[in-house]
Amino acid sequence: ILTAAKERGQLIFLEGLKSCLDLLFGEEEQSGQPSPLQFLSEGASDLKALFDFVRTSLTPAGSDSWKGPVLLVDDLSVLLSLGAAPVAVLDFIHYCRVVVCSQLKGNIVVLVHSNEDSEDEENELVVNSLCHHSDLILWVEGLATGFCKDVHGQIKIIRRVSLELTAEKDLVQVYQYKIQDKNVTFFARGLSAAVL
Amino acid sequence: MSEICCFKGHDLKFYWTINWVVILLGIFLLALTLLLFIFPKNKENQRCVVKIQVGDLSNKKEKIPTVLVFTEEDKYGLYSNLLFKYFLAEGVVCGHELFVASAKEHPDNILKELPAPLLDDTYRNELGEEATAVKSEDFQDSMKIAWRYQNLPKTEASPTSTKFGHYYDVSKTMPPELFQSRNWHSFYLPEELSLHPLPLHLPCKLTPARRAYTRLLQSIQRIIYQEGFDGSDPQKKQKNILRIGIQSLGSMLWGDDICSSDTPEDIHSLTKFLYVLRALLRKSLSACIITVPAHLIQNKAIMERVTNLSDMVVGLESFIGSERETNPLYKDYHGLVHVHQIPRLNSLICDVSDTKDLAFRLKRKLFTIERLHLPPDLSDTVSRTSKQDLAESAKLLSSGCGAMAIGKKHLDF
């Protein structure tokens, strides 16, 4: 399905691992266009090239545009490992929000890693400020009591109702899940097949 | 559970028979069962992964999983070095190409010290399995006291039929003609730096670590490209796997200061290196093992990022010089194995074993990884207090390895 979508132009996929190879070992100056991962080679910690790539990809070209684009970022934390400053990462996300959410009426989904007793302060800064701006947070974690064969962890779904400036509190739902080979089953707490 | 039972059976046997031959046989079988059940089961991670790759070669449409195995060195680097050599030796025996990179030991010397394979092991295994079968039958018949264990299913015996990898004798070194017949490449940092002085056009603001890593990456990339591991050249007669081993990455010898300072000059050099290496591995038919002196790395955030960037992370904790050396719980072992990350290959879930507590020991000829368990209670006069001590330290252990510590407070379901 995904390759079909790609051919129709519905999906644009930037494969970081591949394009970083092209950048580092590829021929110099193929088309004069800067690589989206320009920041890797120059040591400059700004993600402008990456943002430009996002903007040009998502800007509707002609009549066959798809309504409501979605920007999926798989692992923002990796950008930090690659030398981008946390402020640069947050700037990047902010610019993306302006373009995707406000101008194009689309959505952004971002994956980040986090850990409660993490010592990675830069990463925690990014995670916290992302949580602050998000409308919906899916927080996946292992069970506090340790590993279990039938319940692999729990997912906390936090609906940020408080962002709409009503006096209500955020809605929190917790489900537990079990991962199988090809799919995941979710169930309410304490209702795993092993217990019932 | 079933493991302990199995031991019980053997121990009872010790009591009943005074015949020395039987005792010797028992000891031999115990060693053999450990060797057969446990060793292949736990070395599985590296091995089976590489096996999967071989299997996938025939099916070109499938995405080929390539793996970055990451080993946190033990304090004195003894056992991680051994594991590193096991990985390379397995490559030699399987006929893979090798790439060895080091900044400390010359790769030639590393290869000279690979453990010798026990090549007649198929024959030996068959023999061993038969003997085990005979043995288990006869102790089933004779279970008069431990009758409650009699009808337990022998699930532990099944993995013996599938064989992972080969066995090695660590007391001997591999015959040189064996690895000289293989195609291998080496990268020795001091040599590389002196042979090819830095090109002038490179900006001199590069830190020494960045320079070394760039050199290493270029070297790996050149080999992958030249030898056709990237699959770009379909005419190449035979596809092979490149096994990459990198020793003590991130240590001072690589010019990296993450081990010596809390706020290193270039905090991203190691993680950047890993990312590009991952990209190279993803594109090619290769597997890589890296050992890292994790206990020396000052900034713990680096290790967290490194874990996220690798497919599999295993930590070795040696008892040498630690207070656990004298703990009766660990008296049979030389260290603990912590599995921090397991890869998920073409599936949503990874293969998780039931026990998280693994320990290793180095015997005269064999390095084994076993499930940690309390030693069988042989004497009649063991006092209650010492048993409780053991139980306590076992509890302490699980609090160290997992999130079991707060088990009493929480009740998840």
Side-chain angles (χ1 to χ4, degrees):
Chain A
I1 307 166
L2 282 180
T3 40
K6 213 169 170 181
E7 277 160 18
R8 273 180 289 152
Q10 189 178 0
L11 173 77
I12 297 161
F13 181 47
L14 170 69
E15 192 176 352
L17 284 174
K18 205 159 155 259
S19 42
C20 90
L21 281 186
D22 294 343
L23 178 71
L24 295 180
F25 302 114
E27 290 84 46
E28 305 276 313
E29 293 300 311
Q30 309 94 326
S31 53
Q33 212 169 5
S35 158
L37 298 176
Q38 198 69 45
F39 70 99
L40 260 177
S41 60
E42 278 172 8
S45 64
D46 91 65
L47 300 168
K48 190 170 177 301
L50 189 59
F51 168 67
D52 285 340
F53 177 81
V54 169
R55 191 179 53 189
T56 46
S57 316
L58 288 181
T59 310
S63 56
D64 59 334
S65 61
W66 304 85
K67 278 273 162 342
V70 179
L71 170 67
L72 296 158
V73 185
D74 187 352
D75 224 341
L76 212 56
S77 306
V78 172
L79 291 180
L80 290 177
S81 306
L82 291 179
V87 178
V89 174
L90 289 176
D91 282 348
F92 167 70
I93 282 298
H94 182 75
Y95 279 114
C96 287
R97 278 184 67 198
V98 172
V99 168
V100 180
C101 300
S102 308
Q103 292 179 4
L104 302 170
K105 301 280 173 274
N107 293 308
I108 298 183
V109 181
V110 175
L111 173 80
V112 277
H113 284 278
S114 178
N115 195 351
E116 257 170 33
D117 46 354
S118 166
E119 292 181 47
D120 193 344
E121 286 168 17
E122 295 184 346
N123 187 41
E124 290 306 299
L125 177 71
V126 171
V127 172
N128 283 338
S129 58
L130 272 179
C131 286
H132 187 70
H133 291 297
S134 310
D135 296 306
L136 180 68
I137 304 168
L138 304 181
W139 193 277
V140 183
E141 58 193 353
L143 294 178
T145 46
F147 170 73
C148 170
K149 223 195 300 183
D150 296 297
V151 183
H152 287 139
Q154 63 178 23
I155 180 167
K156 221 185 263 177
I157 304 174
I158 305 166
R159 266 175 233 280
R160 298 289 306 281
V161 188
S162 55
L163 279 186
E164 288 155 23
L165 297 178
T166 49
E168 286 171 72
K169 267 193 180 174
D170 290 347
L171 281 175
V172 182
Q173 288 169 298
V174 180
Y175 294 99
Q176 292 178 334
Y177 63 84
K178 178 181 166 129
I179 309 173
Q180 278 125 4
D181 268 357
K182 301 280 176 208
N183 62 334
V184 186
T185 45
F186 294 93
F187 39 83
R189 263 193 286 191
L191 293 181
S192 78
V195 179
L196 293 179
Chain B
M1 182 64 195
S2 50
E3 181 120 300
I4 294 166
C5 299
C6 157
F7 273 88
K8 269 272 188 318
H10 283 291
D11 298 337
L12 289 168
K13 190 88 191 168
F14 290 157
Y15 285 128
W16 300 331
T17 50
I18 313 143
N19 193 335
W20 274 104
V21 182
V22 177
I23 293 179
L24 279 177
L25 189 76
I27 293 170
F28 173 70
L29 279 171
L30 237 145
L32 207 73
T33 36
L34 286 180
L35 195 147
L36 287 175
F37 298 166
I38 298 154
F39 183 59
K41 270 195 96 157
N42 296 308
K43 284 293 283 183
E44 91 207 290
N45 295 320
Q46 294 168 12
R47 296 280 161 67
C48 86
V49 161
V50 178
K51 287 264 141 120
I52 290 167
Q53 286 186 318
V54 183
D56 277 359
L57 285 185
S58 52
N59 191 354
K60 280 173 203 149
K61 277 179 204 159
E62 279 282 321
K63 191 160 185 191
I64 298 154
T66 32
V67 170
L68 194 55
V69 183
F70 203 81
T71 317
E72 291 177 10
E73 286 179 15
D74 52 303
K75 206 165 164 193
Y76 299 103
L78 291 175
Y79 301 106
S80 57
N81 235 337
L82 194 66
L83 214 62
F84 183 74
K85 283 174 185 163
Y86 261 111
F87 180 83
L88 295 176
E90 182 68 16
V92 172
V93 174
C94 294
H96 299 158
E97 286 204 34
L98 297 184
F99 179 94
V100 187
S102 165
K104 184 169 69 178
E105 239 180 310
H106 197 282
D108 294 354
N109 295 340
I110 296 179
L111 280 172
K112 270 178 204 146
E113 286 167 9
L114 294 184
L118 300 169
L119 283 177
D120 53 348
D121 61 312
T122 40
Y123 171 70
R124 275 234 219 138
N125 273 355
E126 276 163 17
L127 209 116
E129 266 166 55
E130 267 170 40
T132 324
V134 171
K135 170 80 179 182
S136 58
E137 261 171 41
D138 79 23
F139 91 74
Q140 271 226 327
D141 290 342
S142 58
M143 269 194 187
K144 289 186 181 124
I145 298 173
W147 42 267
R148 39 177 306 224
Y149 301 121
Q150 196 149 326
N151 293 327
L152 281 178
K154 287 204 179 47
T155 46
E156 290 295 310
S158 52
T160 48
S161 53
T162 52
K163 202 164 76 64
F164 286 118
H166 301 84
Y167 296 98
Y168 299 90
D169 183 348
V170 283
S171 65
K172 295 190 198 117
T173 56
M174 186 178 275
E177 63 270 14
L178 203 61
F179 66 81
Q180 271 157 12
S181 63
R182 307 277 178 238
N183 214 349
W184 60 278
H185 315 271
S186 65
F187 179 93
Y188 184 50
L189 185 69
E191 220 169 59
E192 293 285 324
L193 289 181
S194 61
L195 270 183
H196 318 279
L198 209 67
L200 284 172
H201 68 268
L202 267 179
C204 45
K205 62 179 180 181
L206 283 181
T207 57
R210 182 68 64 82
R211 218 174 293 166
Y213 293 155
T214 314
R215 204 37 84 62
L216 179 56
L217 282 174
Q218 280 165 351
S219 176
I220 294 176
Q221 195 261 350
R222 201 178 52 235
I223 283 159
I224 286 178
Y225 182 71
Q226 281 172 357
E227 309 282 331
F229 288 109
D230 51 357
S232 62
D233 190 7
Q235 294 101 304
K236 269 256 154 95
K237 61 275 168 216
Q238 200 183 357
K239 287 196 177 176
N240 202 350
I241 287 175
L242 179 69
R243 273 187 194 238
I244 305 171
I246 304 173
Q247 198 184 35
S248 288
L249 194 74
S251 72
M252 298 284 279
L253 292 168
W254 285 94
D256 212 332
D257 56 352
I258 51 172
C259 290
S260 54
S261 121
D262 202 6
T263 49
E265 201 181 334
D266 187 1
I267 195 168
H268 304 294
S269 55
L270 182 64
T271 45
K272 266 189 186 178
F273 168 79
L274 279 174
Y275 185 78
V276 181
L277 179 66
R278 196 184 165 85
L280 280 173
L281 292 181
R282 186 57 50 89
K283 218 182 74 173
S284 61
L285 291 171
S286 44
C288 179
I289 187 171
I290 299 175
T291 67
V292 166
H295 62 283
L296 291 179
I297 294 181
Q298 305 291 315
N299 193 337
K300 291 298 167 222
I302 293 181
M303 272 319 286
E304 283 174 34
R305 289 177 182 184
V306 160
T307 307
N308 280 338
L309 283 172
S310 27
D311 289 322
M312 175 166 172
V313 182
V314 175
L316 296 178
E317 179 189 345
S318 144
F319 294 151
I320 302 175
S322 96
E323 57 183 19
R324 285 178 165 168
E325 196 175 13
T326 50
N327 191 323
L329 173 65
Y330 305 120
K331 70 173 191 279
D332 291 336
Y333 304 107
H334 290 118
L336 295 177
V337 179
H338 305 290
V339 179
H340 298 299
Q341 184 144 307
I342 310 181
R344 289 169 294 271
L345 299 172
N346 292 333
S347 162
L348 284 176
I349 192 162
C350 47
D351 179 34
V352 181
S353 82
D354 296 340
T355 24
K356 293 276 182 293
D357 303 330
L358 298 171
F360 65 83
R361 74 166 113 184
L362 180 62
K363 288 186 249 178
R364 201 162 59 84
K365 295 192 163 185
L366 198 68
F367 178 77
T368 56
I369 300 177
E370 302 169 3
R371 295 179 185 177
L372 185 67
H373 56 77
L374 295 178
D377 198 354
L378 286 177
S379 74
D380 295 328
T381 55
V382 170
S383 64
R384 188 152 288 271
T385 51
S386 76
K387 267 194 214 165
Q388 268 176 348
D389 280 352
L390 277 182
E392 279 301 312
S393 39
K395 250 185 231 159
L396 268 179
L397 168 84
S398 52
S399 71
C401 296
M404 299 289 278
I406 34 179
K408 277 184 186 161
K409 268 189 279 170
H410 275 84
L411 196 61
D412 269 317
F413 58 87

